[in-house]
């Protein structure tokens, strides 16, 4: 149990460090005034919708942390049999990373006001995330065809629950990114009006990529190796 908490503490520290870099820890009472912003001395405070997204991501992170904690506690049972990691998950991981990179490109283009590059970047990010989701469904189908069904053993159940929960969050991100992409093709839209939406989509994409990398490490057994190392250090 102590080792599990240590592993979750490492995950929490990584997420906290990443969010600190996104100005989650900024103090609004110390933010620049409108006059300072106009003179270019300081940046404006984060919009309320961005703070709301930070709170939502914190809740999502806590939810996945609870599932991961339950995963570690359950895998110590005698009825736990590990399942193989489909090769398709490697491809899906690359697709999700590429989608996140494409949205980061879109964020940069929005900041520089280059609409001709912003549109293809958003389309690329949207399509790659959709391919990731389709790849996850195909991985489920392959595992079911190989006999690794949901109710076979707890390892299978956790795999389907965690990947399904992550997939639902990716689907939600696809809806928002799709709306932003459609707006980008409107005739009267400007990069400045899309900047906040693109920033939020990029932030969400990066977070879900980080969650998936942790889950993938869990399924591949790398997290188990980390736990074993911690046990050796604490023993």
């Amino acid at each position: 149990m102590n080792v599990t908490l240590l592993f979750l503490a490492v995950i929490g520290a990584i997420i906290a460090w990443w969010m600190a870099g996104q100005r989650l820890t900024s103090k609004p009472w110390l933010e620049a005034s409108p006059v300072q912003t106009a003179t270019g001395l300081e940046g404006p405070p984060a919009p309320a919708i961005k703070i709301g997204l930070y709170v939502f991501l914190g809740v999502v992170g806590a939810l996945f942390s609870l599932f991961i904690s339950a995963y570690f506690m359950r895998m110590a049972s005698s009825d736990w049999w590990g399942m193989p990691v489909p090769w398709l998950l490697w491809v899906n991981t690359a697709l999700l990373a590429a989608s996140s990179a494409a949205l980061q490109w879109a964020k940069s283009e929005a900041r520089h006001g280059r609409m001709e590059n912003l549109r293809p970047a958003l389309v690329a990010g949207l399509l790659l995330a959709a391919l990731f989701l389709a790849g996850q469904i195909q991985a489920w189908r392959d595992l079911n065809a190989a006999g690794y069904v949901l109710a076979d053993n707890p390892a299978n159940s956790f795999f389907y629950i965690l990947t399904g929960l992550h997939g639902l969050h990716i689907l939600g991100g696809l809806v928002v990114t799709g709306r932003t992409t459609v707006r980008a093709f409107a005739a009267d839209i400007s990069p400045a009006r899309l900047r906040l939406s693109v920033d939020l989509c990029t932030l969400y994409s990066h977070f879900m990529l980080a969650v998936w990398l942790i889950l993938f490490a869990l399924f591949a057994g790398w997290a188990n190796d980390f736990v074993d190392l911690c046990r050796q250090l604490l023993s």
Side-chain angles (χ1 to χ4, degrees):
M1 182 64 179
N2 291 334
V3 176
T4 301
L5 293 176
L6 178 60
F7 177 73
L8 293 177
V10 172
I11 295 176
I14 294 173
I15 293 176
W17 168 80
W18 176 76
M19 284 190 167
Q22 301 294 326
R23 295 188 53 177
L24 179 61
T25 57
S26 62
K27 301 177 178 60
W29 56 87
L30 296 180
E31 293 285 355
S33 66
V35 175
Q36 288 176 308
T37 301
T39 58
L41 296 178
E42 296 288 347
I49 189 172
K50 201 167 189 177
I51 300 299
L53 179 59
Y54 286 139
V55 174
F56 174 74
L57 294 182
V59 173
V60 173
L63 176 63
F64 277 101
S65 296
L66 290 174
F67 272 107
I68 291 173
S69 177
Y71 182 97
F72 277 118
M73 290 186 289
R74 191 66 179 85
M75 69 183 297
S77 303
S78 58
D79 60 345
W80 182 279
W81 298 288
M83 60 186 301
V85 176
W87 66 269
L88 193 54
L89 291 191
W90 291 91
V91 178
N92 295 345
T93 302
L95 288 171
L96 192 60
S99 173
S100 190
L103 288 178
Q104 183 63 38
W105 173 32
K107 178 180 178 180
S108 176
E109 297 302 323
R111 288 187 172 182
H112 290 89
R114 295 189 286 258
M115 184 63 78
E116 67 278 4
N117 294 331
L118 174 60
R119 292 189 180 104
L122 284 172
V123 171
L126 182 66
L127 290 179
L128 288 166
L131 286 174
F132 167 83
L133 200 57
Q136 294 293 82
I137 295 174
Q138 184 59 45
W140 276 18
R141 296 179 63 182
D142 292 344
L143 286 171
N144 270 277
Y148 296 97
V149 296
L150 175 66
D152 191 29
N153 76 82
N156 296 3
S157 300
F158 269 99
F159 175 85
Y160 287 113
I161 290 173
L162 287 172
T163 54
L165 185 61
H166 181 264
L168 285 176
H169 285 88
I170 292 294
L171 181 61
L174 279 174
V175 173
V176 177
T177 305
R179 291 180 60 186
T180 302
T181 304
V182 170
R183 288 181 59 203
F185 282 90
D188 59 344
I189 199 70
S190 65
R193 292 174 59 186
L194 285 173
R195 182 173 173 178
L196 178 59
S197 296
V198 174
D199 282 356
L200 295 177
C201 291
T202 304
L203 174 62
Y204 186 84
S205 176
H206 291 346
F207 184 85
M208 295 315 299
L209 173 62
V211 170
W212 172 250
L213 291 177
I214 293 172
L215 294 179
F216 188 54
L218 201 67
F219 301 140
W222 303 330
N224 301 345
D225 295 337
F226 175 80
V227 170
D228 292 338
L229 177 61
C230 292
R231 286 198 180 100
Q232 295 175 7
L233 294 176
L234 294 175
S235 60

